[in-house]
Amino acid sequence: MDTLSVLREVDDLDQSAAPEKAPRQGRPARVFERVLDRLACSPYPRAILLYLVIRTASVQLLDLLAARRGATLTDRLTAWDGQWYLRLAVHGYADLPGTLDAARQPYSDAPMAFFPLYPKLVAAVMWLGPDVVTAALTVSVLAGLVLACGLIRIGRAVSPERGDRTGLLLVALWAGAPMAIVFSMAYTEAVFCAFAVWSLVGVLERRWLPAGLCAFAAGLSRSTAVVLVAVVVVAALIAVFRRTEKRWWALAGAVVAPLGVAGYLGFVAYRTGSWTGWQDIELRGWNTEFDFGAETADSVLARLTGDESVFSTLTVLLLLGAVALVLVAAFLRVPWPLTLYGAGVLLLAIGTRGLPDAKIRFILPAFPVLVPIAIGLSKRRTVTAVAAAVAWVVLGAWFSAHALTAWRYAI
C-alpha cells in the first residue's frame, strides 16, 4: 500500500469519527429562541398569571353572590358609573341622552364629569368588532396586566435584594385588595393605575419622558392624576436643578406631565364658561366637593360609635389602616415619590365629600400604602407569605362581591 492510499484511509476515518454538524438556524429561529429564554427567566409572565388567577377568582365569587340575588354578572360588572362609560363609548359626549343631576333634573353638562380616555379606548376596541360591554371589560383586563408588570419594577426599586419576590407580593396584594373588583369592571381604575404605576417607574428609574407621557395619559383618565402630575413635576424639576445628565429630558417630562389633566379641565371650563366648570359639575351632578375631610370625619366617628354593619365598620378600619401604612412607608424610607403619591391620593379621597362608602374604591390608586406589607412579607418564609396573601385576597374578594350585591353606594 503506497503512502497516498494510507493518507486517504486516515482521512476517511477522521470524517467518520467527527460529530455531525447541527443544521444552521435561521435568524427568526434564533430570535424566537432568545425571546423564549428571556420569558422563562422573566417575572412578568408570573405576575400576569398571578393577577389573572386572583381577578378570576374574585369575579367568580361575585358571579356566585349575584346569582343568589337574582342579578347577572354582566349587570354587576357594568353597574353604576360603568353605564356612563358604556354610553359615552357609544354616543360620545355631545349626543348622550337622558343626563340628569343629583336632583334628577335634566343636566346636559353631566357627561363631562367623566374623563375621556377610557371611553375612547373602549370605542377603539369596538371598532375591531366586539360589542360595547366586551370591549369595555377587555380594556380593563389588558390594563390590569400592564399594571401588574409595572408592580414588578416597583418591587425592584423598593427592595433590590428581593425585588421580584416583593413585586409579586405587591401584585397579589393589589389585585386582591378590597374593591379591586373595579379592575375587572367597566371603570377607569385599571387604565388609570396602569399609567400611574409606569409613570412612577419612570420617576424611580430616571426615565423622565416616559414618566411624563404616562402622567399625561393618566390625566386623561381620572382627576386623581393631579397628585401623580405633582409628584412627576416635582421630581423632574429636582433633577433639572441638580443639573443631572438627563436634565433636558427631565424638563420635557415636567412640561408634558400636566397637559392631560390640565387640558381636559381647561376644555370643560371652556364648554361651561366657568374656571371651575368640572368642580361645578361634580357638585351639581353628584354632590361631591372637597370639604377638607369634614364629612369623612363625621362618618368615621358615627360608624365607630354606632350600631353599624360589619361591612360599614370594616370600611372605616381599612381607611384608617391605609393612613397608618402611609406613615409606615415614610418610616421605612420607601422612595419619596411613592410615599408622596400614596399620601396625596389618600388626602384627596379623605378630603372629598360624597359617598363615604365608596372611599375604599377611591383610595385604590394609592398602591404605595401596600409596599410596606409587601416588603415585610418578602422577608418571611414562603408558606407564611403565601398564607397571608391568600387571606388578604379572600377578604378582598368577599368585600368586593358584597359591595356589588348587598350594599348600596359602595361603588
Side-chain angles (χ1 to χ4, degrees):
M1 183 178 292
D2 58 9
T3 304
L4 183 58
S5 299
V6 172
L7 290 176
R8 286 175 177 172
E9 289 183 8
V10 171
D11 184 62
D12 291 341
L13 288 172
D14 288 343
Q15 289 184 4
S16 63
E20 184 178 353
K21 291 184 178 180
R24 189 173 183 180
Q25 288 185 325
R27 181 177 178 81
R30 293 198 304 272
V31 171
F32 183 66
E33 186 175 304
R34 289 176 183 175
V35 170
L36 289 179
D37 289 341
R38 290 190 178 184
L39 286 176
C41 300
S42 171
Y44 299 121
R46 284 175 285 165
I48 289 173
L49 179 60
L50 179 62
Y51 180 87
L52 287 175
V53 168
I54 292 173
R55 295 300 331 124
T56 300
S58 179
V59 170
Q60 290 300 313
L61 180 59
L62 171 62
D63 188 21
L64 178 64
L65 295 188
R68 292 173 63 90
R69 291 183 172 270
T72 65
L73 180 62
T74 300
D75 174 65
R76 294 297 81 204
L77 293 179
T78 58
W80 299 101
D81 287 354
Q83 290 297 315
W84 280 94
Y85 288 116
L86 296 181
R87 293 164 64 199
L88 286 169
V90 173
H91 300 285
Y93 287 82
D95 301 322
L96 195 65
T99 55
L100 305 175
D101 60 16
R104 311 301 295 173
Q105 298 298 315
Y107 188 32
S108 59
D109 288 339
M112 289 188 291
F114 299 93
F115 280 60
L117 182 59
Y118 179 71
K120 292 297 183 183
L121 291 175
V122 174
V125 175
M126 288 174 60
W127 183 79
L128 299 176
D131 62 85
V132 64
V133 173
T134 302
L137 300 182
T138 299
V139 170
S140 292
V141 169
L142 293 178
L145 304 184
V146 173
L147 75 86
C149 293
L151 291 176
I152 294 294
R153 297 281 278 273
I154 295 293
R156 292 175 179 175
V158 300
S159 180
E161 67 282 1
R162 301 180 184 85
D164 291 347
R165 183 182 175 93
T166 303
L168 289 171
L169 283 166
L170 198 53
V171 171
L173 294 172
W174 203 14
M179 289 313 303
I181 190 65
V182 292
F183 295 149
S184 303
M185 295 178 64
Y187 267 62
T188 61
E189 270 76 4
V191 169
F192 172 80
C193 289
F195 284 117
V197 165
W198 281 100
S199 180
L200 291 169
V201 168
V203 170
L204 296 177
E205 297 181 358
R206 303 295 188 266
R207 300 176 184 270
W208 298 110
L209 189 56
L213 289 173
C214 287
F216 167 81
L220 293 173
S221 305
R222 288 184 66 83
S223 61
T224 315
V226 296
V227 177
L228 177 67
V229 167
V231 171
V232 173
V233 169
V234 169
L237 292 180
I238 289 175
V240 171
F241 288 122
R242 286 181 176 175
R243 298 181 177 275
T244 60
E245 300 180 345
K246 300 181 179 180
R247 62 182 179 276
W248 295 114
W249 288 115
L251 184 60
V255 171
V256 169
L259 297 182
V261 65
Y264 184 68
L265 293 179
F267 166 76
V268 176
Y270 171 78
R271 286 287 300 271
T272 60
S274 169
W275 286 104
T276 58
W278 186 82
Q279 290 84 353
D280 297 341
I281 293 172
E282 283 283 292
L283 180 58
R284 177 176 169 182
W286 287 266
N287 286 327
T288 299
E289 64 177 345
F290 194 80
D291 68 346
F292 300 93
E295 183 190 67
T296 302
D298 291 341
S299 175
V300 168
L301 182 61
R303 295 181 181 197
L304 291 180
T305 58
D307 184 14
E308 297 289 336
S309 70
V310 173
F311 182 88
S312 182
T313 303
L314 186 57
T315 297
V316 172
L317 295 179
L318 288 170
L319 194 62
L320 295 177
V323 174
L325 284 173
V326 167
L327 300 178
V328 173
F331 177 78
L332 293 178
R333 296 185 179 180
V334 171
W336 71 263
L338 296 179
T339 304
L340 183 60
Y341 168 75
V345 172
L346 279 179
L347 178 63
L348 192 63
I350 293 172
T352 300
R353 177 172 71 87
L355 297 179
D357 285 324
K359 297 294 184 185
I360 302 304
R361 177 172 73 86
F362 295 152
I363 68 173
L364 269 180
F367 75 92
V369 303
L370 296 173
V371 168
I373 301 177
I375 292 175
L377 289 177
S378 70
K379 300 176 182 178
R380 302 294 184 266
R381 292 185 303 170
T382 300
V383 64
T384 303
V386 170
V390 168
W392 172 257
V393 169
V394 170
L395 171 65
W398 168 82
F399 190 98
S400 297
H402 189 77
L404 278 174
T405 57
W407 198 255
R408 299 188 64 190
Y409 307 121
I411 187 68

